[in-house]
């Protein structure tokens, strides 16, 4: 059912108190990135999405993801009402199942039902659902434009494409660290990875992708290198191409950094300078 066109390469920005992300959004658009993303954990309010839309002209703007434990349909409707028509048409909703309910998948379905009947709605063709397992992928196929995945291998991407079918949009959020010191880069990945493996279905999906409990517990080099990219801009672009070749429609770079490692906009500049990808 998808008619969603995100282009092939996106960038995740970090919401900053000094609003640096707003200037970075405009620069990322000039660099050729076709969609900009904000992580849902940074969205206590949804207004930063409006800020990015107003700072740009053509790119899609999306959350990955709006937490349904924090925001309801009324918050989404309030955001839509604050946008002009052109801005609203570039907003893509990324949603995931609530975690604080007994039946998360049912809770997500109820949210989508309510959104369908809102007086100012975000159509299914501009919705994506965070999905790892087959049931959520099927829901993303049937109730949205497609799925958002993260911490996945190209092999998983190929499998997800089979579940979604040929028409749904498949987005991969790809963690990256731009650092020639691979040991240091892997240590940077392990910080947020340790937290992510403790929530949601990420650990279960690691097992689905063939990693054992020892790999998961130790966050082994093999696991880190399989689901994140460390190294230079060419390594990052090779990972993007691997997911696109496996069936992804769009890959968004999520930059991890510590100390003097480059942040999101610095990585965006390096990747744009090296890239021949259509965006």
């Amino acid at each position: 059912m998808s008619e969603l066109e995100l282009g092939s390469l996106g960038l995740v920005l970090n919401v900053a108190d000094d609003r640096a992300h707003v200037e970075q959004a405009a620069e990322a658009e000039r660099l050729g990135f076709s969609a900009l993303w904000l992580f849902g954990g940074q969205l206590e309010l949804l207004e930063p999405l409006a800020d990015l839309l107003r700072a740009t002209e053509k790119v899609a703007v999306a959350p990955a993801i709006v937490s349904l434990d924090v925001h309801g349909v009324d918050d989404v409707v309030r955001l839509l009402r604050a946008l002009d028509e052109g801005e609203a048409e570039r907003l893509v909703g990324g949603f995931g199942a609530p975690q604080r309910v007994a039946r998360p998948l049912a809770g997500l379905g109820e949210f989508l039902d309510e959104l369908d009947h809102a007086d100012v709605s975000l159509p299914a063709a501009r919705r994506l659902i965070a999905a790892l397992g087959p049931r959520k992928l099927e829901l993303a196929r049937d109730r949205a434009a497609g799925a958002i995945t993260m911490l996945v291998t190209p092999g998983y991407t190929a499998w997800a494409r089979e579940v979604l079918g040929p028409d749904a949009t498949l987005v991969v959020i790809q963690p990256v660290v731009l650092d020639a010191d691979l040991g240091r880069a892997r240590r940077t990945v392990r910080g947020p990875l340790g937290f992510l493996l403790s929530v949601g279905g990420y650990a279960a999906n690691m097992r689905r992708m063939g990693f054992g409990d020892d790999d998961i517990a130790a966050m082994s080099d093999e696991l880190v290198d399989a689901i994140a990219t460390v190294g230079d801009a060419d390594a990052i672009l090779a990972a993007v191409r691997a997911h696109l070749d496996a069936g992804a429609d769009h890959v968004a770079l999520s930059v991890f950094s510590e100390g003097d490692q480059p942040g999101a906009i610095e990585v965006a500049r390096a990747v744009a300078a090296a890239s021949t990808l259509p965006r």
Side-chain angles (χ1 to χ4, degrees), residues 168-207:
T169 296
L170 177 55
V171 173
V172 174
I173 307 291
Q174 178 69 13
V176 301
V177 180
L178 185 63
D179 192 337
D181 185 333
L182 300 188
R184 182 172 64 177
R186 291 184 183 114
R187 288 194 297 273
T188 298
V189 173
R190 289 188 178 102
L193 180 59
F195 169 75
L196 291 168
L197 289 176
S198 71
V199 300
Y202 288 114
N205 202 51
M206 294 298 164
R207 297 183 184 95

Side-chain angles (χ1 to χ4, degrees), residues 31-276:
L31 289 170
F33 288 83
S34 55
L36 301 175
W37 300 77
L38 295 175
F39 278 139
Q42 299 182 343
L43 295 176
E44 294 182 7
L45 301 172
L46 299 182
E47 279 71 11
L49 295 166
D51 293 337
L52 294 199
L53 287 162
R54 291 166 185 153
T56 55
E57 297 179 357
K58 296 180 180 179
V59 296
V61 171
I65 56 172
V66 171
S67 170
L68 302 191
D69 294 313
V70 177
H71 299 289
V73 168
D74 288 346
D75 296 313
V76 177
V77 169
R78 190 177 303 111
L79 173 64
L80 290 167
R81 285 179 174 154
L83 302 174
D84 67 29
E85 182 178 355
E87 292 164 349
E89 289 176 351
R90 292 192 287 123
L91 177 68
V92 177
F95 304 106
Q99 301 301 308
R100 300 173 189 167
V101 299
R103 300 172 61 223
L105 203 57
L108 175 57
E110 291 167 4
F111 170 86
L112 295 174
D113 290 341
E114 189 177 350
L115 188 59
D116 283 340
H117 293 95
D119 57 350
V120 180
S121 185
L122 187 69
R126 294 211 315 275
R127 300 178 200 163
L128 295 167
I129 292 175
L132 290 175
R135 292 178 63 200
K136 285 185 181 176
L137 287 167
E138 289 165 359
L139 185 68
R141 177 192 65 203
D142 298 339
R143 298 291 308 273
I148 304 170
T149 66
M150 183 173 168
L151 305 183
V152 298
T153 64
Y156 170 93
T157 295
W159 172 77
R161 171 53 67 196
E162 291 183 6
V163 177
L164 288 170
D167 298 325
T169 296
L170 177 55
V171 173
V172 174
I173 307 291
Q174 178 69 13
V176 301
V177 180
L178 185 63
D179 192 337
D181 185 333
L182 300 188
R184 182 172 64 177
R186 291 184 183 114
R187 288 194 297 273
T188 298
V189 173
R190 289 188 178 102
L193 180 59
F195 169 75
L196 291 168
L197 289 176
S198 71
V199 300
Y202 288 114
N205 202 51
M206 294 298 164
R207 297 183 184 95
R208 188 181 291 117
M209 293 187 296
F211 293 101
D213 289 343
D214 289 344
D215 274 317
I216 296 168
M219 293 182 285
S220 67
D221 287 353
E222 291 77 12
L223 185 148
V224 169
D225 291 348
I227 53 87
T229 301
V230 297
D232 60 13
D234 288 336
I236 292 171
L237 286 166
V240 171
R241 291 189 185 94
H243 281 291
L244 294 174
D245 289 346
D249 297 292
H250 178 82
V251 179
L253 305 182
S254 174
V255 178
F256 296 172
S257 64
E258 290 183 350
D260 62 356
Q261 290 169 333
I265 197 63
E266 291 82 14
V267 172
R269 292 169 188 154
V271 168
S275 177
T276 57

